[in-house]
Each structure stands twice: as structure tokens, then as C-alpha cells.
């Protein structure tokens, strides 16, 4: 798949994911939130079925959120069901369980710490770290850095799959779009 299309879809999925959340949580506009969640699920499912690295990221986010009990609205359920349907219809690529476990664990840690007042009270650093979900960013960066190193040197660990370095850039675009959606919602829509 074309790198530009992948970048656009990552950005769009991050923007729509947050927009759906804000419509549901802030405006109680459940129908719009579900529709946007469905579109977000379609985009994430399309990316995951056409790009192995996207499978790691979006499965990690979805499973991490499930484990952390953060799938707490109809919009989340709709997005999850659409993602699952697209994944079943088109099929996910074969994945390394170790790499997937790292993505799931980092997403879970982010969700466990996000909006956790007990952690936020401990320090400003922890508040910022979890508010902006840095665990998964660090995990994706390390996996991408090792992927770059592997591409250059041929370095390999049995049963372990690293990510393409572009994937880290795509993930940052996803995260920036997520934050941009928050800003747009708070300034212009709320």
C-alpha cells in the first residue's frame, strides 16, 4: 500500500477515534459517536488487514483497552465490532505473539494510567506521561528502532518481529491527529 495513503489513514483514524469519544462523552451525542466509531473501525480494520505493523498497533490498542475495561460506550463497541468484522472478512497477517504482547501491554499500561487520579496525584511527570499515553509511543519507537537496525545489519531474534521505522512516524501522526481532534472539539464544537 502507498505510504501516503497509509499516513492519511493513520491520521484519519486517530482524529475520528478521539472525535467519536468526545461526541459520546462530552456532548452525549450517541448516534454521531457510533457513526464516527464505525468509520474509525473500518479505517483501522482496513489498515490492519493490509499492513502488518498496523495490525500490531490497532490490535494492541483494542485488546489493551478491553483488558483495561476502557471500552465503555456504544461507540467503542461499534468500532470494535466493525474492526473485528473487517479483520475476519479480509484476514489479518500472521503476527509474532511477542511483538503483539508488547503492543497490548504498552496500550494497557497507557489506559490503566490515563485519567487515574491516584497516579496523577503522585507527580506532574506521571500525569503528562499517562495523559498523553507515552508507554505505547516508547514501545513502538523501540520496535521501530530495532526494525531499522535489523534492516541495516540483518540482526534477528527468533520469534520476534520488529516494526518498520516508518510505522513509528505513522503512529506519531495517529497520536497528533488524536490530539488535534481534542483541540478542534474543545475550541470549536463543544
Amino acid at each position: 500500500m502507498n505510504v501516503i495513503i497509509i499516513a492519511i489513514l493513520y491520521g484519519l483514524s486517530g482524529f475520528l477515534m478521539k472525535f467519536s469519544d468526545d461526541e459520546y462523552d462530552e456532548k452525549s451525542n450517541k448516534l454521531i459517536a457510533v457513526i464516527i466509531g464505525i468509520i474509525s473501525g473500518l479505517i483501522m480494520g482496513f489498515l490492519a488487514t493490509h499492513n502488518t505493523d498496523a495490525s500490531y498497533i490497532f490490535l494492541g490498542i483494542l485488546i489493551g483497552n478491553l483488558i483495561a475495561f476502557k471500552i465503555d460506550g456504544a461507540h467503542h463497541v461499534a468500532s470494535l465490532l466493525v474492526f473485528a468484522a473487517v479483520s475476519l472478512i479480509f484476514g489479518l497477517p500472521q503476527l509474532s505473539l511477542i511483538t503483539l504482547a508488547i503492543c497490548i501491554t504498552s496500550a494497557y499500561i497507557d489506559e490503566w494510567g490515563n485519567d487515574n487520579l491516584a497516579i496523577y496525584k503522585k507527580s506532574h511527570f506521571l500525569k503528562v506521561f499517562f495523559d498523553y499515553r507515552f508507554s505505547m509511543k516508547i514501545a513502538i519507537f523501540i520496535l521501530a528502532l530495532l526494525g531499522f537496525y535489523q534492516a541495516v545489519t540483518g540482526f534477528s531474534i527468533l520469534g520476534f518481529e520488529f516494526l518498520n521505522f516508518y510505522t513509528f512516524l505513522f503512529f506519531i501522526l495517529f497520536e497528533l491527529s488524536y490530539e488535534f481532534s481534542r483541540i478542534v472539539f474543545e475550541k470549536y464544537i463543544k
Side-chain angles (χ1 to χ4, degrees):
M1 186 182 328
N2 183 304
V3 175
I4 294 171
I5 292 172
I6 293 172
I8 290 168
L9 292 176
Y10 264 90
L12 195 54
S13 65
F15 185 88
L16 293 175
M17 182 184 288
K18 180 60 178 164
F19 200 82
S20 174
D21 254 357
D22 285 344
E23 281 291 328
Y24 192 88
D25 294 337
E26 304 295 326
K27 289 181 69 179
S28 295
N29 196 342
K30 294 174 180 20
L31 178 61
I32 296 296
V34 168
I35 291 168
I36 295 169
I38 288 170
I39 296 167
S40 179
L42 282 170
I43 293 169
M44 289 185 295
F46 178 80
L47 277 167
T49 58
H50 289 80
N51 182 278
T52 303
D53 289 2
S55 294
Y56 288 119
I57 289 171
F58 293 119
L59 277 172
I61 290 170
L62 290 173
I63 296 170
N65 275 275
L66 264 172
I67 296 168
F69 300 108
K70 291 286 185 117
I71 296 185
D72 56 1
H75 62 303
H76 289 150
V77 173
S79 185
L80 175 65
L81 291 175
V82 168
F83 177 86
V86 170
S87 298
L88 287 172
I89 292 167
F90 295 104
L92 291 171
Q94 187 173 357
L95 301 174
S96 158
L97 292 179
I98 296 169
T99 305
L100 182 58
I102 290 169
C103 292
I104 291 169
T105 302
S106 64
Y108 170 77
I109 291 168
D110 281 339
E111 292 307 321
W112 170 76
N114 184 261
D115 292 333
N116 186 329
L117 296 179
I119 290 178
Y120 281 14
K121 288 179 184 177
K122 291 184 184 219
S123 78
H124 180 69
F125 172 79
L126 289 175
K127 182 182 183 323
V128 170
F129 186 88
F130 287 113
D131 201 33
Y132 291 99
R133 296 174 172 92
F134 273 98
S135 297
M136 194 165 194
K137 288 177 186 69
I138 292 167
I140 299 298
F141 177 73
I142 291 169
L143 289 169
L145 199 59
L146 289 170
F148 177 76
Y149 182 74
Q150 180 181 34
V152 172
T153 65
F155 168 76
S156 181
I157 298 175
L158 187 63
F160 201 100
E161 188 170 60
F162 303 119
L163 305 180
N164 184 305
F165 196 76
Y166 284 117
T167 299
F168 175 69
L169 301 177
F170 297 147
F171 186 63
I172 293 302
L173 182 59
F174 169 87
E175 292 288 331
L176 289 173
S177 297
Y178 184 94
E179 292 304 322
F180 179 67
S181 180
R182 178 193 319 227
I183 293 166
V184 167
F185 190 86
E186 287 176 358
K187 284 194 173 187
Y188 303 108
I189 297 171
K190 193 175 177 183

